[in-house]
Amino acid sequence: MASTGKRNGKRAGKKPVAGPPGTDRIDPLAALRGPEDPAWDVYLTGTVFLDIVFTGLDCAPVRGTETWARGMGSSPGGVANMATALARLGLRTSLAAAFGDDHYGEYCWDALEQGEGIDLSPSRTVPGWHSPVTVSMAYEGERTMVSHGHEPPPEEPAPDCPPRARAAVASLTPGRSAPWIAQAARTGTRIFGDVGWDDTGAWDLAGLHDLRYCEAFLPNAAEAMRYTGTDTPRAAAHALAEHVPVVVVTLGADGAYAVDRRTGETASVPAIEVEALDPTGAGDVFVAGFVTGSLAGWPLADRLAFAGLTAALSVQEFGGSLSAPGWAEIAAWWRRVQSVEGQEPSALRRYGFLAGLVPEEAVRPWPLRRAVPTIGFRRPA
């Protein structure tokens, strides 16, 4: 096999960086940082896919026909969606994942480490293993996906414990525990849990073994109601709050509803109306926004509004990970929305907390990578 420029499963000659290089970034945790803090704000682990996204489809593909899309983009996907969203919001993000020993894996590694400043020191490259791939087709505000991939071989020796971090985002699996979640929680890491559709149909809350370690749980409305046997998202949120301190139920076009059992706060924030190009990864961006506000100590309603805003901005670009907004885009939205005539005053007040976060002058953005139709073009000299 030809040399790949990697050694012992890691990239040779490259040091992890703590944020997008050469940028003027907003650090939402600047006022809270101290010398004894963990090196990382958020730890993630999971599968990185190469996402190939088709947009501009008038309808779902029809069996036996060929459908042409007006737009196409490629970008890192899977857990990379969440990692990129967190890093672009200024959080020091560490990711443990397996990368394929192919051009797709090379591209995803470079996009995450060099492009986004994500720490990949816990990650590895698996010789002879090809990258998982997802093809996503976006139409009528929805998406259909086809994926292919194989489980990577187990790492030998397996890591003893995740790195110390302020928080971790964990995808809970019905009927299975992930030992790293308990390990991280014991070291003081705040666990934010999400969950996917239960293909078994059991919808047994007791089967989410790692929920007990979570500070917050963020299901969508359908998942929340099925797990609790309730008829409304709000009732589901309150029922889930008996098991986890903070519950956020996402409501799609209707926004989100949240309950904080510790403080007694509840919050309901409507969604921001935007013209959606591609909804891929919007849920991950929402979670990243909520985690950012939680680590910064914001009130529950502000955290919910910020999460919804970041998700709304993300669906206006191609791709899951590289559509995530940075602070420059958040600042631009805040300035623009205030200039709209006839704007509802109460709606502006809902996002008034941004005035103390984003600078009055334009933030100089780093060159945000966007999803591109074809990877592998030679870069200009």
Side-chain angles (χ1 to χ4, degrees), residues 307-333:
L309 169 60
T310 55
L313 293 177
S314 77
V315 302
Q316 298 177 84
E317 298 283 349
F318 279 114
S321 62
L322 302 187
S323 67
W327 282 101
E329 290 156 301
I330 295 167
W333 177 87

Side-chain angles (χ1 to χ4, degrees), residues 255-284:
Y257 181 76
V259 178
D260 188 329
R261 186 184 69 208
R262 297 167 303 186
T263 65
E265 292 176 277
T266 62
S268 178
V269 175
I272 298 174
E273 293 185 11
V274 295
E275 185 175 348
L277 174 67
D278 175 19
T280 305
D284 295 316

Side-chain angles (χ1 to χ4, degrees), residues 11 42 47 80 117-119 142-143 146 150 163 168 217 222 254 269 273 278 280 296 303-304 324 334 344 366 369:
R11 287 222 172 175
V42 187
T47 303
I118 296 166
D119 168 49
E142 297 294 337
R143 59 178 179 160
V146 178
H150 303 279
F217 183 46
D254 293 324
V269 175
E273 293 185 11
D278 175 19
T280 305
R303 286 180 266 165
L304 210 59
W334 176 235
E344 173 61 41
W366 63 89
R369 288 194 182 190

Side-chain angles (χ1 to χ4, degrees), residues 93 154 235 242:
T93 303
E242 298 177 6

Side-chain angles (χ1 to χ4, degrees), residues 341-368:
E341 293 185 6
Q343 187 68 261
E344 173 61 41
S346 62
L348 281 179
R349 286 195 297 271
R350 173 60 273 152
Y351 296 91
F353 66 94
L354 291 174
L357 292 171
V358 299
E360 295 182 5
E361 299 297 326
V363 177
R364 177 173 66 85
W366 63 89
L368 290 178

Side-chain angles (χ1 to χ4, degrees), residues 292-304:
T292 300
S294 298
L295 294 184
W298 301 348
L300 184 63
D302 290 353
R303 286 180 266 165
L304 210 59

Side-chain angles (χ1 to χ4, degrees), residues 50-63 67 69 73 133-148 277-281:
L50 175 75
D51 280 356
I52 302 173
V53 181
F54 292 99
T55 63
L57 295 167
D58 295 322
C59 62
V62 178
R63 181 178 180 180
T67 301
V133 176
T134 291
V135 174
S136 176
M137 292 161 282
Y139 54 89
E140 300 176 352
E142 297 294 337
R143 59 178 179 160
T144 297
M145 296 184 292
V146 178
S147 297
H148 173 72
L277 174 67
D278 175 19
T280 305

